[in-house]
């Protein structure tokens, strides 16, 4: 496991003339790809929303520029006003955040987005796939409507 560990050994030679002992302290640290800095890329998805008995499916996405902040294996960034936080483990990455923006009239009972993928060995490409799901109620001058929105085909690619 991560952290400091101490190993102690003691023994004597064959004729029991000399006794020796020693100990070592070592650390096991989880290695993480270094992805801190500026990245550009794209995010593309098909979002399906159901509300008031109707279903709407639309492609969403486009080009993105982000600045990834990294503290050890923890990473975070903001894209299109969405905060993403997560972990890098070796060359794997998983981040999460809100799926839909918080806007007037929306009352969410659930609103979550998770994306995971891999970082290239040379740490210049990140490929991820994600899912998002949100449910709740939307109210306007015409009344209140239950809604649910989902994406299961989200693809994200960043390069630097």
């Amino acid at each position: 496991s991560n952290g400091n560990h101490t190993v102690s050994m003691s023994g004597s030679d064959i004729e029991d003339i000399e006794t020796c002992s020693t100990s070592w302290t070592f650390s096991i640290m989880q290695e993480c790809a270094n992805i801190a800095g500026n990245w550009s890329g794209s995010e593309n998805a098909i979002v399906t929303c159901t509300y008031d008995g109707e279903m709407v499916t639309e492609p969403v996405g486009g080009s993105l520029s982000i600045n990834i902040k990294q503290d050890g294996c923890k990473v975070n960034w903001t894209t299109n006003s969405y905060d993403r936080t997560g972990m890098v483990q070796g060359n794997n990455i998983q981040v999460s955040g809100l799926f839909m923006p918080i806007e007037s009239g929306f009352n969410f009972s659930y609103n979550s987005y998770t994306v995971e993928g891999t970082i290239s060995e040379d740490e210049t490409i990140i490929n991820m796939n994600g899912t998002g799901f949100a449910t709740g109620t939307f109210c306007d001058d015409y009344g209140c409507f239950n809604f649910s929105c989902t994406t299961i085909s989200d693809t994200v690619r960043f390069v630097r």
Side-chain angles (χ1 to χ4, degrees):
S1 65
N2 290 349
N4 291 327
H5 303 273
T6 301
V7 175
S8 297
M9 297 179 67
S10 62
S12 59
D13 66 14
I14 294 175
E15 296 180 21
D16 208 16
I17 296 173
E18 186 177 315
T19 300
C20 63
S21 68
T22 188
S23 66
W24 300 275
T25 299
F26 60 96
S27 294
I28 298 175
M29 301 303 292
Q30 183 176 15
E31 291 194 26
C32 311
N34 180 2
I35 60 171
N38 294 318
W39 293 78
S40 60
S42 63
E43 182 172 5
N44 295 293
I46 297 177
V47 176
T48 300
C49 291
T50 303
Y51 62 95
D52 195 28
E54 299 201 24
M55 184 176 0
V56 175
T57 299
E58 291 188 21
V60 296
S63 298
L64 303 170
S65 293
I66 62 169
N67 181 17
I68 297 177
K69 296 172 186 69
Q70 185 167 359
D71 181 11
C73 294
K74 296 177 183 176
V75 294
N76 68 75
W77 67 82
T78 300
T79 177
N80 296 331
S81 300
Y82 292 97
D83 293 331
R84 303 287 183 233
T85 59
M87 297 289 293
V88 172
Q89 295 179 332
N91 282 61
N92 296 310
I93 183 171
Q94 181 181 33
V95 296
S96 60
L98 293 178
F99 177 52
M100 292 181 62
I102 304 299
E103 294 182 2
S104 178
F106 284 90
N107 181 19
F108 291 96
S109 55
Y110 188 83
N111 186 6
S112 182
Y113 172 79
T114 301
V115 62
E116 58 187 29
T118 58
I119 303 158
S120 65
E121 290 294 324
D122 63 0
E123 300 173 350
T124 61
I125 300 171
I126 303 173
N127 286 308
M128 298 181 285
N129 291 300
T131 59
F133 185 68
T135 61
T137 305
F138 173 74
C139 296
D140 63 12
D141 293 339
Y142 302 102
C144 294
F145 307 96
N146 292 329
F147 72 88
S148 67
C149 295
T150 188
T151 181
I152 56 171
S153 60
D154 191 37
T155 58
V156 181
R157 179 179 172 90
F158 293 123
V159 296
R160 65 171 166 182

